[in-house]
Amino acid sequence: MAECLFCKIINREINATIVYEDDRIVAFNDITPQGPTHVLVVPRRHIPTLNDLEPGDDQLVGELIRRAAAIAKSKGIAAGGYRTVFNTNHDSGQTIFHIHLHLIGGRALHWPPG
Ligand code: AMP
Ligand code: ZN
């Protein structure tokens, strides 16, 4: 996707602090962190929203979640706790239409989110 910001980060056309990558997934620090840890875990493949997922994507989605948990562990926040969120479309506040799992932690988070 030529105009997608996260595709550009994945393709190294825009800088980001990448904390993990493999052949299917890239994870990088959010530019406006909402906590001491705020990492976005994204698939290399451009998928606009969760509504666009297909049955064949089940393993990929599982990998995104397990990678977020592994990053949380590596950052020392797994035991204390953290939040993982996918926003979808307007009412959730989604602004980048390339699915991304927010991993937020390192402080006590409020619930409900509002
Ligand atoms: P969402 O609102 O769920 O679509 O989240 C998009 C996230 O992308 C926000 O938390 C932004 O702070 C983050 N973001 C926007 N631009 C960049 C960028 N260039 N590098 C890293 N994160 C970004
Ligand atoms: Zn994209």
Side-chain angles (χ1 to χ4, degrees), residues 11 20 24 32 34 38 40-41 43 51 53 60 70 79 83 85 100-101 103-104 112:
N11 294 330
Y20 175 84
R24 289 155 63 82
T32 311
Q34 300 302 310
H38 189 167
L40 303 174
V41 187
N51 295 334
L53 290 169
L60 178 61
R83 185 163 298 156
V85 177
H100 48 281
L101 180 56
L103 164 63
I104 304 170

Side-chain angles (χ1 to χ4, degrees), residues 51-109:
N51 295 334
D52 302 298
L53 290 169
E54 296 174 353
D57 297 323
D58 288 0
Q59 170 149 0
L60 178 61
V61 174
E63 288 176 18
L64 293 174
I65 294 169
R66 296 236 310 133
R67 182 51 52 190
I71 294 168
K73 188 174 180 187
S74 74
K75 291 188 173 286
I77 62 170
Y82 54 87
R83 185 163 298 156
T84 43
V85 177
F86 286 104
N87 290 321
T88 299
N89 281 342
H90 178 267
D91 280 357
S92 74
Q94 185 178 7
T95 58
I96 310 282
F97 287 82
H98 179 134
I99 63 169
H100 48 281
L101 180 56
H102 293 260
L103 164 63
I104 304 170
R107 66 173 175 87
L109 300 165

